[in-house]
DNA sequence: ATTTTCTTGTTATTAAAATAACAGTTAATA
DNA sequence: TATTAACTGTTATTTTAATAACAAGAAAAT
């Protein structure tokens, strides 16, 4: 295992490599070339090889990469040996959709608790995961050794609840509320549909899109 | 209006500037300094000023930026004068959650149609938006001048439906299926929760997170 | 009036990411 | 056994994004 942090983008791609590699295994393939893996994700073979170099893995020269080995290696880097546990905080429309998706797609990250403050749903299960009252956050996060949190509460509660999450011992948070957070004590990732959509709107405008195409042609 | 494309990250931040600026207007503020705007998003004042410079807007030296002017300017850049229309394709759990969110938060991008292939829901409305059969995609996209599409169909249909979207005249697509797409003819943005979550898992690992903190201290 | 303070706008520098270039190696082929 | 073809692994270069540095101008203070 390396002593250096991997670039963000490399980590993102590793996650994608693993997903498509699992499918390759299911199809009975044992090895894969960098250009094959690249094609599956519409990126360049060089980028694949560089990423794999960065994680300190090697392929064999005429057979390519051993798929199972590579999956294991990525697993060690991203998920650790003992799989990390995830909680969803605020199990409304978005929280339920995400939970459902995560439950359907087996990953090494398992959602092992969800939290809400709505008395009517506390005690019930969503996709097989029990919903706890938000007041038990710390207790359960500690007991279950949950390290990752998905924040999907209404915006007005985002700041307060995110602090409680860190306080409870959560180490990484993905924030789906449209509220800009600043946390000390946990790694934070932010995502908002509207920002994404407006970015698409900008680059999809005919004038802008054609400029993009021109730039690609020049290369 | 500029003849040069803006950097991706700048466009993303413009979207966020606009959101928080709207809130400032509601609170009766007329002007804002770069350091105030920066604080609201937890970024640096320099980045704010640089972004605003790139869009060709100016503030006044002792009063800061006129908020309404800035909102208008960002609107022209991102949404164009005539607001762009959005369609959601595949109105299942995720599609509904997104639609609900977009309907609640008034933006210049308006969802004006949703599509599905499930007979039971075609003809019904979600958050006030009518669901059409997927076979009418092209007809309605053309008629309504829809330019942006949100793709939330099951993964196995992603490739085929995305082609139909481009064929129908959609110029920008945000793809929430975990399938890597390659399109010619439309700007494409990809987002997947699992990739995001695994990235968080990597950087939240105690050893990695402490390396991150160290790097920040050095600066 | 003159100085000081605070702010913007812009250029210069550094850092991160992607791409390109190419050396090196193995297996197949002649 | 030499030669070629087809890969990987690594370093160098370029591009993109973030940060720093600082000149210049308006208002406030003296
Ligand atoms: N970023 C995005 O892309 C995106 C997309 C859709 C929604 N959202 C945001 O995600 C959040 C959730 O959206 P939604 O549509 O699921 O809303 P929702 O109202 O359906 O769900 C919110 C849930 O949080 C619970 N809740 C409220 N206060 C709480 C508290 N203090 N502690 C714990 N739980 C609490 C509610 O009971 C509810 O179940 C909102 O902030 C919304 O703006 C973001
Ligand atoms: N990327 C992410 O972050 C993320 C998160 C959750 C789900 N997802 C993905 O988003 C997609 C939707 O997820 P979901 O949980 O809403 O699934 P879902 O099954 O609830 O919804 C899918 C919808 O698409 C409709 N559909 C099926 N085939 C269609 C076709 N050919 N044309 C039009 N509509 C069709 C279905 O009738 C259904 O309403 C899936 O691909 C899922 O993997 C992605």
């Amino acid at each position: 295992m390396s002593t250096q942090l991997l670039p963000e983008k490399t980590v993102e791609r590793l996650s994608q490599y693993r997903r498509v590699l699992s499918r390759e295994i299911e199809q009975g393939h044992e090895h894969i070339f960098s250009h094959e893996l690249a094609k599956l994700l519409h990126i360049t073979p060089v980028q694949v090889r560089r990423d794999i170099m960065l994680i300190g893995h090697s392929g064999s020269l005429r057979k390519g990469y051993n798929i199972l080995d590579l999956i294991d290696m990525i697993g060690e880097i991203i998920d650790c040996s003992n799989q990390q546990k995830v909680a969803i905080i605020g199990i409304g429309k978005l929280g339920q959709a995400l939970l459902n998706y995560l439950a359907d797609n087996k990953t090494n990250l398992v959602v092992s608790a969800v939290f809400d403050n709505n008395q009517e749903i506390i005690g019930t299960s969503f996709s097989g995961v029990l919903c706890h009252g938000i007041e038990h956050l710390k207790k359960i996060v500690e007991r279950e050794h949950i390290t990752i949190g998905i924040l999907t509460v209404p915006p007005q509660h985002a700041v307060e609840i995110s602090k409680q999450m860190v306080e409870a011992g959560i180490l990484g948070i993905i924030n789906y509320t449209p509220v800009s957070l600043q946390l000390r004590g946990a790694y934070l990732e932010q995502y908002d549909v509207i920002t994404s959509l407006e970015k698409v709107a900008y680059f999809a405008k005919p004038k802008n899109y054609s400029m993009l195409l021109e730039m690609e042609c020049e290369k």
Side-chain angles (χ1 to χ4, degrees), chain A residues 6-7 18 29 50 63 73 75 82 89 91 104 127 132 149 154 186 200 213 219:
Chain A
L6 294 170
R18 181 163 61 172
H29 299 157
R50 206 173 192 295
K63 288 192 289 183
M73 191 86 188
N82 53 341
I89 291 83
I91 191 74
D104 275 4
S127 303
H132 302 274
V200 171
L213 291 184
K219 286 188 279 195

Side-chain angles (χ1 to χ4, degrees), chain A residues 196-210 212:
Chain A
S196 248
L197 210 51
E198 293 187 336
K199 175 171 147 189
V200 171
Y202 174 80
F203 287 104
K205 282 163 77 171
K207 195 177 153 195
N208 292 340
Y209 185 66
S210 59
L212 266 185

Side-chain angles (χ1 to χ4, degrees), chain A residues 16 24 46 59-60 78-80 90 95 97 99 112 171 173 179 214:
Chain A
Q16 290 164 8
E24 290 300 300
V46 191
S60 68
I78 292 178
D79 316 293
C80 243
L99 172 57
S112 45
L171 304 173
I173 294 179
V179 174
E214 273 170 41

Side-chain angles (χ1 to χ4, degrees), chain A residues 26-53:
Chain A
E26 283 167 14
Q27 289 169 26
H29 299 157
E30 281 194 6
H31 291 83
I32 195 168
F33 292 124
S34 62
H35 65 264
E36 293 172 324
L37 183 46
K39 199 159 196 178
L40 293 170
L41 294 169
H42 303 108
I43 59 178
T44 68
V46 191
Q47 196 152 54
V48 170
R49 291 203 300 275
R50 206 173 192 295
D51 287 336
I52 291 176
M53 181 200 82

Side-chain angles (χ1 to χ4, degrees), chain A residues 140-163:
Chain A
I140 289 165
V141 163
E142 283 175 357
R143 191 179 73 198
E144 301 279 326
H145 302 292
I146 290 169
T147 52
I148 313 283
I150 299 178
L151 182 57
T152 46
V153 298
Q156 61 271 24
H157 297 116
V159 173
E160 170 59 21
I161 298 291
S162 67
K163 282 184 195 156

Side-chain angles (χ1 to χ4, degrees), chain A residues 90 92-94 116-117 152-155 157 161 176-178 191-193:
Chain A
K93 286 179 277 291
L94 180 60
D116 209 290
N117 74 343
T152 46
V153 298
H157 297 116
I161 298 291
Y176 286 109
T177 77
Y191 182 78
D192 181 68
V193 192

